[in-house]
Amino acid sequence: MIVRKNISIDQCYIDKLKPFLDKNNGNLSAAIRDSIEAASQVLDEKKKEKGEKDSRSALKTIELRNKMVEDEEFLLIHHTMLEWFIKKTSGLLLEEATVYELINPYTIKKIPNFVNYVNVLNDRMGWKIKVGAEYAEPEPGTLILTLSNGNPCFRGVVAQSLALYLAKQMKMDVQGLFNRSNATKIYFKRFEFLNYEKIPKGFEEHFGSMESTFREIQKRPEFWKNLVKTYRQQNYQRLSMNKKVFEAFVSGDLPSVDDMGREFELLAGKPPETFTLAEHIMIFKELYLTDSIGSDIEVCTEKGREYVKLIHDYSDRKVCERVIQYYSNIFRSIGHPFTVTSSPHMIVFEFGKNLSPSHISEPGLAGAESELSFTP
C-alpha cells in the first residue's frame, strides 16, 4: 500500500540525501525510501551486536557462577529453603567476617565506590537488587541507602550486610529502617566509635533484636528450655522477680525507695532523672509485664494525662496493699508526683503537678476504693 504525504524538509537534509538522489536520478521519494532502508539495516545490525554482546556477557556470568560452585565458594540452594532459613534467623546479626567475604574492607573506603561495587556484585550474583544512595559530599554526616527489587527476604540480609559494613568501616550507624514489598530504605548518621569491638547501638536495635537473647540461650540452653517448658505448662502463671524483692516480700518488708531507684538504674542503664515521665512509664510497663505480678497493664504517655492502670487477679486485702506499696515505691524512686487509686483487681497511678504531699507507707483500702497521693 502506498501512503502519500506532503512533507517539508530543510536543505541540509536534502544535502545528506544526495548519494541516494544521485542513485535514483533525483527522485526524492525513492531516495527517502533507500535512506530509510539503509538506516533500518544499520539499526538491525546494532541490535544484533547488542544481543550477541548481552549473550556473551550472560554466558560469562553463568560460567563464573558455575566455577564458584565448583570451587565450593558458593552453594546452590532453592529459594524456598533460603527464605525459610532467613525468616527463622530473623533478628540475629551477621558476623563481620561473613560480610568481609563479600566486600573487601581494604579496597572499599568511599561511599561512591561502595555503591558501585555492591551494584556490580548484585549483577554478577544475579540477586536482582539495585542499591542507591543519597548523601552529601565529601564526608557525609547522613546517608540514605535504598535497596529495591529482588527477593524481600534476601534483600533484608543484603541490607544488614551493607549496614554492618557502613557502621564498622565508615562510622555510619542506623537511625531508621523501613521495609516495603519492593524496597528497603535505611537511614544512617555518622557517629564516633567508643569501642570498635562492640556493635553500634542503632544497628543492633534495627537488625539484631534477638541477638542478645539468643546468646543467653546458647550460654545456658538447658535452663532456658526448662524455663520455657515450665511457663508453657503453667500457662505463664508464674512470677519473675529480683531475689532481693522476693526476700523483702517473704520477710514482710519492702525494698526502700533508694533500693528501687538503684534497681531501676540497673535495669534501664541510666539514672532515673535522665528519663522523661513518658519514658519512665514505658520502662515500667516492660518491668511489670516481665515480673508477671499482675495480669495486664494499660498506660497513657500523653503529656499532662499520664497514667498507669495495673490489672491483677488478687482478692486478698493484704496482698493488694503490698502490691500498691511495692509499685508506689517504684514510682517514688523516679521522682514524679502521682496519686494512686485502688479498686477490686485494679490499681491506677495518675501523674500530674500540684499534688499535695502524702506518705504512702501503710495504706488501707477503705471500702471498695481508696486514693492516695505522693509528691517527691
Side-chain angles (χ1 to χ4, degrees), residues 56-66 123-126:
R56 288 195 298 270
S57 177
L59 182 61
K60 185 177 180 181
T61 300
I62 293 172
E63 291 175 349
L64 177 63
R65 292 176 191 168
N66 289 340
D123 291 338
R124 186 157 59 95
M125 299 302 172

Side-chain angles (χ1 to χ4, degrees), residues 89-289:
T89 55
S90 177
L92 301 182
L93 295 177
L94 292 168
E95 294 182 355
E96 284 184 66
T98 303
V99 176
Y100 296 154
E101 287 289 328
L102 295 174
I103 309 173
N104 189 337
Y106 297 104
T107 59
I108 308 297
K109 297 291 186 180
K110 299 292 184 180
I111 290 178
N113 298 338
F114 169 79
V115 174
N116 291 336
Y117 175 82
V118 170
N119 280 321
V120 170
L121 183 66
N122 283 328
D123 291 338
R124 186 157 59 95
M125 299 302 172
W127 295 341
K128 300 179 181 178
I129 298 173
K130 180 69 176 177
V131 178
E134 302 172 41
Y135 58 93
E137 294 282 7
E139 290 293 332
T142 60
L143 167 69
I144 302 175
L145 206 64
T146 303
L147 291 79
S148 53
N149 304 324
N151 181 288
C153 289
F154 189 59
R155 191 171 65 235
V157 175
V158 175
Q160 184 185 155
S161 302
L162 303 186
L164 179 58
Y165 187 90
L166 289 171
K168 286 291 189 174
Q169 297 299 318
M170 301 186 189
K171 300 180 181 179
M172 304 293 289
D173 196 11
V174 179
Q175 299 295 302
L177 174 67
F178 298 93
N179 287 304
R180 296 187 179 90
S181 59
N182 63 342
T184 298
K185 187 165 284 192
I186 316 171
Y187 293 82
F188 296 87
K189 186 176 181 180
R190 185 171 294 279
F191 76 110
E192 293 298 328
F193 264 122
L194 297 178
N195 187 337
Y196 279 89
E197 294 182 358
K198 289 187 176 180
I199 295 294
K201 183 179 179 181
F203 174 77
E204 184 169 12
E205 177 183 338
H206 289 91
F207 288 103
S209 58
M210 294 297 295
E211 181 69 18
S212 59
T213 302
F214 186 69
R215 284 200 298 264
E216 291 302 317
I217 293 174
Q218 286 182 312
K219 289 178 184 177
R220 303 177 64 184
E222 290 303 318
F223 168 81
W224 289 107
K225 283 194 295 184
N226 292 333
L227 185 66
V228 171
K229 180 181 178 181
T230 303
Y231 266 83
R232 291 179 63 183
Q233 286 177 339
Q234 300 185 14
N235 196 26
Y236 288 81
Q237 297 301 304
R238 293 180 63 84
L239 300 184
S240 174
M241 63 174 61
N242 184 280
K243 285 185 177 181
K244 290 184 179 180
V245 176
F246 173 76
E247 182 180 4
F249 270 113
V250 173
S251 66
D253 199 356
L254 284 174
S256 67
V257 174
D258 291 339
D259 287 340
M260 297 305 296
R262 285 190 289 270
E263 186 68 24
F264 180 91
E265 184 172 347
L266 183 64
L267 173 70
K270 291 190 290 186
E273 58 269 17
T274 61
F275 293 95
T276 64
L277 177 56
E279 290 172 331
H280 276 301
I281 290 175
M282 296 311 297
I283 294 172
F284 175 82
K285 180 180 179 180
E286 180 183 338
L287 174 66
Y288 182 78
L289 293 174

Side-chain angles (χ1 to χ4, degrees), residues 9-21 31 35:
I9 188 168
D10 291 338
Q11 183 61 43
C12 63
Y13 295 107
I14 296 294
D15 294 340
K16 291 179 180 180
L17 287 172
K18 189 175 185 306
F20 299 101
L21 288 169
S35 66

